[in-house]
């Protein structure tokens, strides 16, 4: 049987939520229970990888590298935004009423990750890129020349 176990955390933010301190223990249990070369932890687009890396290392889990995926066409607009994440919630209108920018997150995602709600989009993007050992850029074919 070559099936690999997928562990999906449902208890909110792994940065600051009630299960944040439990992540290292869950990763250790998963790694101990199988013969893995690597364990990949995929965060939501609003998570701060610096905090998650700290929580993992504080719990005794070695973090080999952090990979950040950048959406090329959206990056320039989001990088120059002064909006907070809560200003860009997806609703019926593709543009949030208090912002001129397109919606980029859902109310459910921010409820699961309350520490991201008031954070400025540009600050979150900066944190994600600065923490990265590898930055992968996707959708480059859809990005403008600028």
């Amino acid at each position: 049987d070559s099936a690999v176990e997928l562990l999906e955390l449902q208890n909110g933010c792994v940065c600051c939520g009630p299960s944040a301190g439990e992540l290292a223990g869950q990763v250790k249990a998963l790694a101990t229970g199988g013969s893995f070369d690597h364990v990949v932890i995929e965060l939501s687009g609003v998570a701060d990888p610096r905090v998650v890396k700290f929580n993992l290392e504080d719990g005794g889990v070695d973090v080999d590298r952090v990979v950040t995926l950048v959406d090329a066409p959206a990056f320039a607009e989001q990088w120059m935004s002064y909006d907070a994440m809560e200003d860009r919630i997806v609703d019926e209108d593709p543009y949030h009423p208090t912002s001129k920018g397109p919606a980029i997150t859902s109310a459910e995602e921010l409820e699961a990750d309350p520490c991201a709600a008031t954070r400025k989009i540009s600050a979150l993007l900066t944190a994600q890129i600065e923490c990265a050992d590898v930055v992968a850029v996707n959708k480059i074919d859809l990005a403008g020349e600028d």
Side-chain angles (χ1 to χ4, degrees), residues 1-5 36:
D1 184 12
S2 64
V4 176
E5 184 177 348
F36 298 105

Side-chain angles (χ1 to χ4, degrees), residues 17 31 38 61 80 128:
H38 297 86
V61 175
M80 299 304 292
Q128 291 174 340

Side-chain angles (χ1 to χ4, degrees), residues 43 65 89 102 114:
L43 305 176
R65 79 180 43 100
I89 297 173

Side-chain angles (χ1 to χ4, degrees), residues 37-90:
D37 293 328
H38 297 86
V39 175
V40 176
I41 300 172
E42 180 181 1
L43 305 176
S44 74
V46 298
D48 185 339
R50 293 177 304 185
V51 177
V52 177
K53 181 178 179 179
F54 173 83
N55 289 343
L56 287 168
E57 291 176 340
D58 192 49
V61 175
D62 292 328
V63 177
D64 187 47
R65 79 180 43 100
V66 174
V67 178
T68 295
L69 182 63
V70 174
D71 181 329
F75 182 79
E77 183 273 326
Q78 292 172 0
W79 178 256
M80 299 304 292
S81 171
Y82 194 68
D83 290 340
M85 293 298 293
E86 64 190 354
D87 294 331
R88 299 285 196 92
I89 297 173
V90 174

Side-chain angles (χ1 to χ4, degrees), residues 28-29 31 33 40 62 85-86 103 110-111 116 127 140 146:
K28 283 184 192 177
V40 176
D62 292 328
M85 293 298 293
E86 64 190 354
L110 289 181
E111 285 172 15
I140 202 159
D146 300 333

